[in-house]
């Protein structure tokens, strides 16, 4: 048996509509044509990305920050412009743009406090 790598990524969020709007309006993601109940799937590639209502027994108010210890990276085409737009919109920037081995990167906190890093092609 072999695992070949990530095939689907989903974040559990407190307010599905608010979070979906954030990812659509602030990051420019587009919804996939079909999503299961209680979820919004985006048409991202190569790996589908989704937001979903919390699973039974999950309390997103318990941890100090959801996803603590997990690194979620998204690929962007103009990282500096995205950083500037998010900062102008009042989105909390956790790490400013920095040149690194994966190109220009920065990290922001989404509406639920997940740390999301965006990088460009290197």
């Amino acid at each position: 048996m072999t695992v070949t790598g990530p095939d689907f990524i989903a974040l559990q969020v407190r307010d599905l509509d608010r979070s979906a709007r954030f990812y659509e309006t602030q990051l420019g993601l587009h919804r996939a044509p079909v999503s299961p109940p209680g979820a919004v799937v985006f048409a991202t590639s190569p790996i589908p990305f989704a937001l979903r209502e919390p699973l039974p027994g999950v309390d997103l108010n318990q941890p100090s920050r959801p996803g603590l210890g997990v690194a979620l990276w998204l690929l962007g085409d103009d990282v500096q412009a995205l950083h500037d737009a998010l900062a102008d919109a009042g989105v909390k920037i956790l790490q400013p743009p920095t040149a690194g081995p994966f190109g220009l990167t920065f990290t922001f906190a989404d509406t639920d406090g997940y740390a999301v890093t965006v990088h460009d092609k290197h």
Side-chain angles (χ1 to χ4, degrees), residues 9-46:
I9 298 170
L11 298 178
Q12 296 178 72
V13 297
R14 293 177 185 91
D15 183 329
L16 185 58
D17 291 333
R18 178 184 68 153
S19 293
R21 256 191 328 276
F22 174 83
Y23 279 88
E24 287 175 310
T25 61
Q26 298 297 324
L27 273 62
L29 296 184
H30 300 281
R31 293 181 189 222
V34 178
S35 293
V40 172
V41 178
F42 294 102
T44 56
S45 67

Side-chain angles (χ1 to χ4, degrees), residues 90-108:
V91 174
K92 184 176 182 180
I93 303 299
L94 301 174
Q95 178 185 343
T98 306
F102 298 102
L104 189 64
T105 66
F106 78 98
T107 304
F108 67 91

Side-chain angles (χ1 to χ4, degrees), residues 22-87:
F22 174 83
Y23 279 88
E24 287 175 310
T25 61
Q26 298 297 324
L27 273 62
L29 296 184
H30 300 281
R31 293 181 189 222
V34 178
S35 293
V40 172
V41 178
F42 294 102
T44 56
S45 67
I47 298 171
F49 174 69
L51 303 170
R52 64 163 294 120
E53 295 172 346
L55 294 169
V58 173
D59 181 357
L60 294 175
N61 295 316
Q62 286 298 324
S64 60
R65 188 178 85 210
L68 189 60
V70 174
L72 174 60
W73 286 51
L74 302 175
L75 178 63
D77 61 358
D78 191 341
V79 171
Q80 186 65 55
L82 177 59
H83 165 271
D84 296 348
L86 291 176

